[in-house]
Amino acid sequence: MGRVDRFFDRALHGKSKAASLLAFGILALYKHADAQGEDAVKHLTDFIHENFKLRPQHGSPISREDTQISRERVVMMLRECLTETAKADLLQTTEYGTGLNEFSIFLAAQDRCSMAAQVAFAQGEVYHYRGEAQRAITAYRQAAQAFDAAAKAYEDAGVDQSELAAQAYKQAGDAYLKVAQAYTQEGRHDLAAQILMSAAQAYVTGGHALKAEQAYKQAGDAYLKVAQSHTQEGRHDLAAHACRDAATAYVKGHRRDLAKHAYGQAGVAYAKVAAAAQADAKAYQDVRRRAQAKIACETAAKAFWEAALAFSEDGQYDLAIVNFSQAAELYTTLDQQTPAADAYAMLADALTLTAERQPRKAAAEFHKQAVKALEQAVKAYTAATLHKLAGDAYGRIANALRHTSDPPPYAQIAEAYKQAAKAYTAAQRYDLAAEAYEEAAEAFAQIAQRELAAKAYWKAARAYLEAAKTDAPARYKEMAAFAYRLAAKYYTPARLDLAARAYWEAAEIFTELRMWLRAAQAYAQVGEHDKAAHAYLRAGLPQEAEGAYAMLAHALMNAGRYTEAVGAFMKAGLNEHAEEAQTLAERERGFVSRG
């Protein structure tokens, strides 16, 4: 007797053995067909439908009569024929175990895992009704993992089996719920919460949104019970973590109302942790135990930070302000510049959000406080050489300043943007530096500081050209050209020399980018009529080109360059003027020859 024969004798009931052997054979053929592709699976299915039917009311489950049989029904029938020994072997082949036997050799993953999941779930039901909680938990968990593995196998199959995958994910979620219920009955709310999150994820993956939301809500409730237990034991740190986990679950379950409440509880717990750590730090300092004092101080700072974040999520910005401020001060004392800067920046956020809830006059005071907080953030970011973040903070200072008075203090706003640009330049973020310089220019323009606006636009153009060296050259060069044009606009009329230089720079860039009309207009501004005419022609604008040549010709006439003016008048189509210029040129040559 061979190995396979011994396996069948051990694995299958004597009753209906022929039908169970046929079921096993069909599933083995499906594994082979899966490897061949979708067409092979279809051909096998058609063959089975043509030759085998289902007769559940008679002795043999498979015959050549009555209802067509599906692959899933074959799996179910084989499961019903397995001995207890075979079931144990089957379960060893799932993700929960590591067994390698005839089930893993001959059956496809989707069939094997689906069958194992059903076996494990049935065992879980038996253990549950017997009151054997731990064995029920083990079986239900194994069923959930096997259903999950079956769902993934359905997804990976060469044919579309999305409905079967969705059903398997739902069954996995249901099994996880059974585990969670068992843990809840034992008072293990921590384990129940974790399992409920797994159930929710299975429902989400399978597209069962309503069930997922219900599971997430139950998980949040379980986490709050964990938090309550920790609070009673005085473990406020663990209570805070549990409250945050509850809030996360509620958010995923689209229960923002419950999440806000959980965040509020987390904030209270974190604040208690911070207060205790501060007291410890002071006690250590009093006995000169500096190392322990520093550790306690770091714990307090971190707890204040977490409390502030939680209060922010709950919308209690007044408490968030207090806790962010405490965190910032402690991190500054510890000389931890980056977290100190982050705390000051978040403090500014809380102040700004508070300001939005206030009457206009009262709001201005909160914005002023936000400016002060951001100034501290800038110092800390700069000390930590985080120049990009320092630039961001300067930009936020400028925005906050806009709300501190009416009219806004544009000079201060412009200075803030200039500092932002310098910080971005130090970070080699020339694109952001250019944008900051443009913002500064606009602020200067608001208070009629034209030359300062022009200088800022000039610096913006130079920054855009630096950005063009490493990224999107055409885009940034175009932006540089427009910035030069704005610089020229504001240099006019006080500094016509610098205005001309700015127009020239713009014209050269537009020419390089083949933006001929823009180039022509810029060249015309600086009296480069020959270049302007050439650019107009390249832009397909002959009439404008003639006008430029006419301007050139008159300029040449005024300069006494009659011979050159002849050609320019000819190109402008002004033949009579060309003749006059020719006469003057010949007359000039006559005077020269007689001289």
Side-chain angles (χ1 to χ4, degrees), residues 127-179:
Y127 293 137
H128 172 70
Y129 287 113
R130 287 181 185 172
E132 299 178 43
Q134 287 303 315
R135 298 183 74 179
I137 287 172
T138 300
Y140 284 135
R141 186 192 290 269
Q142 190 168 10
Q145 293 172 335
F147 278 128
D148 187 70
K152 290 180 172 62
Y154 286 131
E155 291 175 333
D156 295 338
V159 295
D160 181 14
Q161 300 188 89
S162 55
E163 290 186 6
L164 291 174
Q167 180 184 355
Y169 279 124
K170 177 186 176 297
Q171 290 171 311
D174 292 344
Y176 279 126
L177 284 184
K178 292 282 188 177
V179 178

Side-chain angles (χ1 to χ4, degrees), residues 213 216-221 223-224 239-268 270 306-307 309-316:
E213 290 177 4
Y216 277 129
K217 196 268 182 184
Q218 291 174 354
D221 294 344
Y223 277 125
L224 286 185
H241 291 314
C243 287
R244 287 199 74 95
D245 289 338
T248 299
Y250 287 137
V251 169
K252 289 184 175 181
H254 304 119
R255 292 301 304 269
R256 290 293 307 181
D257 54 333
L258 298 176
K260 283 185 54 135
H261 175 66
Y263 277 126
Q265 288 183 288
V268 171
Y270 278 123
E306 294 291 347
L309 289 176
F311 284 132
S312 294
E313 292 285 354
D314 188 30
Q316 298 188 64

Side-chain angles (χ1 to χ4, degrees), residues 434-496:
E435 292 173 5
Y437 277 127
E438 287 184 323
E439 292 283 3
E442 292 176 14
F444 280 129
Q446 289 288 336
I447 51 176
Q449 293 286 337
R450 294 182 64 84
E451 189 166 350
L452 291 176
K455 288 179 179 178
Y457 277 125
W458 185 283
K459 290 181 179 179
R462 302 304 300 173
Y464 278 130
L465 291 177
E466 285 295 323
K469 293 178 180 178
T470 56
D471 183 37
R475 173 171 170 263
Y476 285 129
K477 285 182 178 180
E478 180 181 351
M479 295 174 77
F482 283 118
Y484 274 129
R485 283 204 328 178
L486 287 168
K489 170 186 173 182
Y490 283 99
Y491 273 131
T492 305
R495 295 296 304 273
L496 293 177

Side-chain angles (χ1 to χ4, degrees), residues 346-359:
M346 292 298 291
L347 170 60
D349 280 344
L351 287 163
T352 301
L353 290 168
T354 302
E356 293 174 358
R357 299 181 172 188
Q358 308 297 319

Side-chain angles (χ1 to χ4, degrees), residues 524-562:
Q525 289 288 343
V526 293
E528 289 288 338
H529 302 297
D530 190 19
K531 287 181 175 290
H534 175 73
Y536 278 130
L537 288 173
R538 295 296 298 270
L541 299 169
Q543 291 184 339
E544 285 77 0
E546 289 177 357
Y549 278 126
M551 295 289 291
L552 173 63
H554 288 298
L556 291 170
M557 290 288 288
N558 292 333
R561 297 161 61 182
Y562 305 119

Side-chain angles (χ1 to χ4, degrees), residues 307-332:
L309 289 176
F311 284 132
S312 294
E313 292 285 354
D314 188 30
Q316 298 188 64
Y317 297 117
D318 52 341
L319 295 177
I321 289 169
V322 171
N323 284 275
F324 277 132
S325 180
Q326 292 272 22
E329 291 175 8
L330 285 176
Y331 280 127
T332 302

